[in-house]
Amino acid sequence: MSTDTDRRFEFETDQSGWSWETHYKPVLKYISLAVLMVWMLLPVYYTFANSLKTPEMIFTQPLGIPFVTFDPVAFSGRNAWRTMWDAFPFVEYTLATFIVSVGTAGLATVAAVFAAYSFARLDYPFKNSLFVLSVAGFMFPIVLLAIPIFVLMQQLGLLNTYVGMILAFTAFTLPYNIWLLRGFFEELPDNLEESARVDGCTQIGAFFRVILPLSRPALASVFLLAFLLAWHNYLMAFIIGQDPLHTTLAPALLELKGTFFVRNFHYIMAGTFLSMIVPITMYMYLQKYLVEGLSSGGGVKG
Amino acid sequence: MSTVSEDIAQRDRSFRDRVLEEYGGLQGILFLLPTLVLLTGIVFYPMVVNGFLLSFKQFTLNPDAVDPWVGLENYEYWLFGQGQSLFLFSLKMTLLYELVVVPFDLVVALGAALVMNESLPARPFWRGLMLAGYASPAIAAGLVWGTMEQAATYGLVYNTLNIFFDIPASGGITSNTPWAFWGVVIAKVWRDFGFMYVVFLAGVQSIPKELYEIAKVDGAGPVQRFRYITLPHLRTVIVTVVMIRTVFTVGKVAIPWAVTKGGPVNYTTFLGVAIFKSAFLNWSMGQAAALGMVFAVGIIPLILIWVRTETEDY
């Protein structure tokens, strides 16, 4: 029988002298990276490249690099981006999406900070039940909220308004923000407020002077997540913004697909790319915060 | 007279004292107030008054008209009436969709997290790019994959899959029965695995490196190291995320809607899509609300399990 050392030798190298650590692992690592990246980036590249082509070029060279397969004569009259800008109120949609997303993120973050702080640091009757009530909405499927909220907004006359959309989006971003921020506040050291109160602060004063400045990164990540949730949302935007001029990019894109199809789908590609690139850029820049926000607070602290 | 006012003053003072005594408690409620007001207004009130009551009514689009009560008719429609076949089929497809999407997500996310945990040149850059799908709006992801799944020269996915399988050219992936389902699944996994990936990446990073060194000295191969170190460390995380994703996947409408519009016929009409179609395409809100209530009864146990795991450290 082989000894321990022999067995180790078996694992680490084979007859050819290649070992897992020095040969197989690096090869496997780079192949996996390449496969993952191609899969991940192909749709993004496809969207971008085809937004810069004419329909004929899309049909003949769907994967062609736009500036290599570039045909200036055919292209000059039919620039998808310029036509897009003229034929479809893109700037308005983007602006509307931006206003609604910022409004939602602001409202959801401000309300969530206070709620999350009280859940994490203060004591009062029915706290647990109130917490469950407040965050259960986050797990509740949006489609089930959609009908009641639509009827409510109809009753209030808030259909097709930014206020209506902000309120509707807050219904599902607020519970998420509370959940994330409570996780963050619980991890702050216990004696912070105590030392502030020894120095003569009230509890509220301690919250504003000590806790809030400390939680700036968490607030930023929660604000961004809410912003992106609002930017991404289709269902709520679709039901509140039935009027195509008062809606956000996501429903506008489907609208666009209905308006120009097949031979004109470079328009759709231009619009889709615009709706993707803003959040992707934000993620690239703010990856660190977002990852911290998603993983530290998110109840996944194993 | 004076005694009465003194009494009042006395009572006031004691009231104020009691308030001050329980200052902490009231303060907690005070901090919670904006959230309670918001959630009552936009979640609880509409859920109960509009959602629950609407499921017993026939909905008329006219906001001034009174919606007539129809009792249990809307429930009857889905459970025993005309809607029964759609309901049962959609339930079956939803379960199938969950059983495919969640494990697929899990495997891709775990693989990606393991690769991104290795030392790579420009690693933060690759780590960021892995989130391209998760950062894209679901509608955009659905539109792009739906385009690539069409049977045309530009339909990359169709053309690639057609080498291995025989997919009918009329309609491509998105309009043929077994394929439309997989078309939705591809787009869904591309869009959604990022959440699990982020969580797993954080989980893998928190495993002490020494454990792997010790295991290596003891002669554990790569598979054993994964099986006996990585997986046990990620176990609780995996359970949590699988639960979250399971609940989230059922109610999402955007991707099936953008890729196939719930078709061919009703093939990819999962429960969420069925509610959406019934409410905002047929405008039979009462029926949609009833289906929503049936759906909610099914999903509430899952939410309660999640809430219990979340609050058990109290």
Side-chain angles (χ1 to χ4, degrees), chain A residues 11-12 20, chain B residues 215-216 218-228:
Chain A
F11 275 121
E12 295 296 316
W20 168 255
Chain B
K216 240 187 263 182
D218 285 348
V223 177
Q224 286 171 315
R225 269 176 268 156
F226 176 74
R227 169 72 185 78
Y228 293 106

Side-chain angles (χ1 to χ4, degrees), chain A residues 131-141 175, chain B residues 303 306-307:
Chain A
F131 174 68
V132 170
L133 265 182
S134 311
V135 295
F138 158 60
M139 291 295 270
F140 218 66
Chain B
I303 297 179
W306 168 75
V307 162

Side-chain angles (χ1 to χ4, degrees), chain A residues 41-199:
Chain A
L41 295 180
L42 184 71
V44 182
Y45 168 76
Y46 182 90
T47 317
F48 176 65
N50 288 342
S51 76
L52 293 174
K53 292 175 192 167
T54 61
E56 290 76 17
M57 286 156 72
I58 297 176
F59 272 82
T60 51
Q61 301 158 310
L63 269 183
I65 300 159
F67 297 106
V68 175
T69 54
F70 192 65
D71 178 358
V73 182
F75 193 66
S76 59
R78 282 183 262 181
N79 183 331
W81 285 83
R82 210 173 62 206
T83 321
M84 205 63 263
W85 234 253
D86 298 340
F88 207 69
F90 239 132
V91 185
E92 282 87 342
Y93 283 136
T94 315
L95 201 66
T97 316
F98 197 79
I99 292 171
V100 171
S101 304
V102 168
T104 307
L107 185 60
T109 309
V110 170
V113 174
F114 293 108
Y117 180 77
S118 81
F119 285 134
R121 311 289 266 202
L122 302 174
D123 248 332
Y124 46 91
F126 306 116
K127 190 170 86 162
N128 279 358
S129 325
L130 284 169
F131 174 68
V132 170
L133 265 182
S134 311
V135 295
F138 158 60
M139 291 295 270
F140 218 66
I142 296 180
V143 72
L144 298 188
L145 278 174
I147 298 166
I149 288 184
F150 171 79
V151 177
L152 177 77
M153 294 302 167
Q154 195 192 33
Q155 286 161 350
L156 295 177
L158 287 176
L159 290 181
N160 296 318
T161 60
Y162 292 153
V163 178
M165 253 186 248
I166 289 173
L167 285 175
F169 286 9
T170 308
F172 59 88
T173 45
L174 179 59
Y176 191 41
N177 281 2
I178 294 175
W179 184 40
L180 292 178
L181 279 174
R182 186 196 68 139
F184 173 80
F185 285 135
E186 277 187 341
E187 277 169 23
L188 287 179
D190 274 335
N191 50 13
L192 280 174
E193 294 109 314
E194 273 161 38
S195 42
R197 295 191 69 177
V198 169
D199 291 346

Side-chain angles (χ1 to χ4, degrees), chain A residues 11 25 29 39-40 46 59 111 114-115 138-140 148 150 167 179 182 203-204 232 235 257 265 279 287 299, chain B residues 27 31 35 42 46-47 50 116 118-119 121 124 133 135 143 153-154 190 219 247-248 276 280 285 307 310 314:
Chain A
F11 275 121
K25 192 176 165 186
K29 186 166 84 180
W39 184 59
M40 206 70 252
Y46 182 90
F59 272 82
F114 293 108
F138 158 60
M139 291 295 270
F140 218 66
F150 171 79
L167 285 175
W179 184 40
R182 186 196 68 139
Q203 179 103 36
I204 294 178
H232 286 171
L235 189 59
K257 192 188 170 193
F265 80 64
Q287 204 215 128
Chain B
Q27 205 169 37
F31 271 68
T35 296
I42 54 184
M47 274 309 282
N50 298 333
M116 291 302 159
E118 296 296 327
S119 56
L143 277 177
T153 43
Y154 55 79
W190 183 81
V247 177
F248 273 12
F276 175 72
F280 300 106
M285 289 260 179
V307 162
E310 256 309 285
Y314 269 91

Side-chain angles (χ1 to χ4, degrees), chain B residues 125-156:
Chain B
F125 178 71
W126 302 121
R127 278 184 178 174
L129 280 187
M130 282 305 292
L131 286 171
Y134 194 58
S136 310
I139 281 287
L143 277 177
V144 180
W145 282 98
T147 309
M148 294 199 296
E149 285 162 1
Q150 282 170 16
T153 43
Y154 55 79
L156 295 179

Side-chain angles (χ1 to χ4, degrees), chain B residues 259-298:
Chain B
V259 177
T260 60
K261 293 242 165 192
V265 197
N266 282 324
Y267 194 68
T268 51
T269 302
F270 308 116
L271 273 178
V273 185
I275 296 173
F276 175 72
K277 270 169 132 177
S278 153
F280 300 106
L281 254 70
N282 306 335
W283 291 104
S284 34
M285 289 260 179
Q287 286 175 358
L291 185 57
M293 285 298 146
V294 174
F295 185 176
V297 168

